[in-house]
C-alpha cells in the first residue's frame, strides 16, 4: 500500500461568489410570498362571490 495522503482539493470556488446572490435570493422569496398572498386573496374573493351567487 502507498502511504500517501489523499490528493489536495482546494476548498475555494474557482469563480468568486456573486455579490448580488443574496439580494436576488431575497427578491425571489419576496416575489413568491407576494404571489401566494395574491393567490389566497383571489381564492377568498372567488369563494365569497360564489357563495353570494349561490344563495
Amino acid at each position: 500500500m502507498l502511504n500517501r495522503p489523499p490528493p489536495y482539493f482546494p476548498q475555494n470556488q474557482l469563480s468568486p461568489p456573486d455579490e448580488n446572490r443574496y439580494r436576488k435570493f431575497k427578491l425571489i422569496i419576496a416575489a413568491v410570498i407576494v404571489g401566494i398572498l395574491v393567490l389566497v386573496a383571489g381564492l377568498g374573493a372567488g369563494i365569497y362571490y360564489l357563495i353570494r351567487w349561490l344563495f
Side-chain angles (χ1 to χ4, degrees), residues 24-38:
K24 289 178 193 171
F25 176 72
K26 284 193 284 188
L27 285 174
I28 290 171
I29 294 299
V32 167
I33 289 173
V34 167
I36 289 173
L37 287 176
V38 167

Side-chain angles (χ1 to χ4, degrees), residues 11-33:
Q11 296 299 316
N12 59 346
Q13 296 176 340
L14 296 177
S15 60
D18 186 8
E19 295 298 325
N20 292 327
R21 178 175 51 186
Y22 302 111
R23 184 167 175 264
K24 289 178 193 171
F25 176 72
K26 284 193 284 188
L27 285 174
I28 290 171
I29 294 299
V32 167
I33 289 173

